[in-house]
């Protein structure tokens, strides 16, 4: 209900720019809208309750004006603060993850991962100039007892490759679509086998 398997969305703002986004965010629907509204109301209610309880505990708001659960009203402050901070942190977490690859011909590529809080504090980006992007390929590696395919960019002067979509690690079909689109946008051409040093079988 809150997340789905990784899906790919492709957007081309201009003939020389393509954005590939892999997300676990559910598609728009009535169920999702209702769930989002209810979860937002619940988040705001809990946050308001914590705020009012904190104000009343410090005598900044008369207790008679609000209803405070006995557990919160009697909890020692050295326990109340950590619990309140942990609750607020949980309320601000996203229920889905988005990762993207933006390819701009003659300029470079940018990877981004957005997770964590609703205001995107956990957003991580990496820009690679086109003159340093040596190649784009699909590699494979072990994840536990399974083999996972992943898209990567070889960067000149670096010993390790840059993994695209490192958190979601979408399936090979998605990797191949992004691989073909990225190489085509960069003018690298599309070879017959979408693999680099570690060919997928």
């Amino acid at each position: 209900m809150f997340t789905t398997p990784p899906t790919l969305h492709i957007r081309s703002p201009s003939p020389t720019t393509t954005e590939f986004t892999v997300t676990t965010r559910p598609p728009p629907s009535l169920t999702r809208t209702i769930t989002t509204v209810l979860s937002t109301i619940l988040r705001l209610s809990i946050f308001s309750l914590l705020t009012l309880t904190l104000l009343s505990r410090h005598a900044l708001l008369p207790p008679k004006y609000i209803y405070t659960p006995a557990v919160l009203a009697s909890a020692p402050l050295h326990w109340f603060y950590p619990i309140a901070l942990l609750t607020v942190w949980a309320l601000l977490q996203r229920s889905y993850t988005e990762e993207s690859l933006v390819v701009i011909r003659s300029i470079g590529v940018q990877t981004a991962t957005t997770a964590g809080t609703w205001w995107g504090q956990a957003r991580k980006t990496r820009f690679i100039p086109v003159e340093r992007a040596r190649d784009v390929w699909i590699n494979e590696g072990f994840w536990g007892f399974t083999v996972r395919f992943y898209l990567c960019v070889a960067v000149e002067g670096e010993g390790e490759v840059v993994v695209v979509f490192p958190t979601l690690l979408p399936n090979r079909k998605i990797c191949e679509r992004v691989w073909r689109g990225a190489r085509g946008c960069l003018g690298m051409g599309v070879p017959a086998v979408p693999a680099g040093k570690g060919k997928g079988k």
Side-chain angles (χ1 to χ4, degrees), residues 17-28:
T17 303
T18 305
E19 180 182 31
F20 306 91
T21 301
V22 177
T23 179
T24 58
R25 185 175 187 176

Side-chain angles (χ1 to χ4, degrees), residues 6 99 143 148-151 163-171 175:
E99 296 185 300
W143 181 269
R148 301 293 295 269
F149 295 94
Y150 57 92
L151 188 70
V163 178
V164 184
F165 315 131
T167 303
L168 296 178
L169 293 176
N171 58 46
C175 289

